[in-house]
Amino acid sequence: MKELVEYLAKTLVDEPDEVQVTEVVTGADVLIELRVAQADMGRIIGRNGKVISAMRALVQVCAAREAKRAALELVED
């Protein structure tokens, strides 16, 4: 799942070197934290949050296939 989020984020942003993905696993729960450059936040969020919502849906589907629960969080620094 981490690789999927990283791939999607790097293809969407202008500064792919600034993309950082962290995966925290706690039992059956997985938290994926996504950090991008401040200038690329709008590209990741999308209009009315559609891009980040689609990414969250993909993560949840991947997690369900592995019998886990997952959440994708966009972190601002």
Side-chain angles (χ1 to χ4, degrees), residues 62-73:
C62 288
R65 291 179 132 200
E66 298 175 10
K68 296 183 180 182
R69 288 182 303 213
L72 174 62
E73 188 175 303

Side-chain angles (χ1 to χ4, degrees), residues 29-71:
D29 296 333
V30 179
L31 174 64
I32 299 174
E33 296 176 342
L34 174 61
R35 289 178 174 82
V36 295
Q38 189 65 33
D40 290 326
M41 287 294 248
R43 289 183 177 273
I44 293 294
I45 295 170
R47 289 194 182 197
N48 298 321
K50 289 187 178 185
V51 174
I52 193 70
S53 294
M55 289 175 71
R56 285 181 176 136
L58 285 172
V59 166
Q60 289 173 351
V61 168
C62 288
R65 291 179 132 200
E66 298 175 10
K68 296 183 180 182
R69 288 182 303 213

Side-chain angles (χ1 to χ4, degrees), residues 16-22 33-36 77:
D17 296 335
E18 296 291 320
V19 173
Q20 296 177 353
V21 180
T22 309
E33 296 176 342
L34 174 61
R35 289 178 174 82
V36 295
D77 289 331

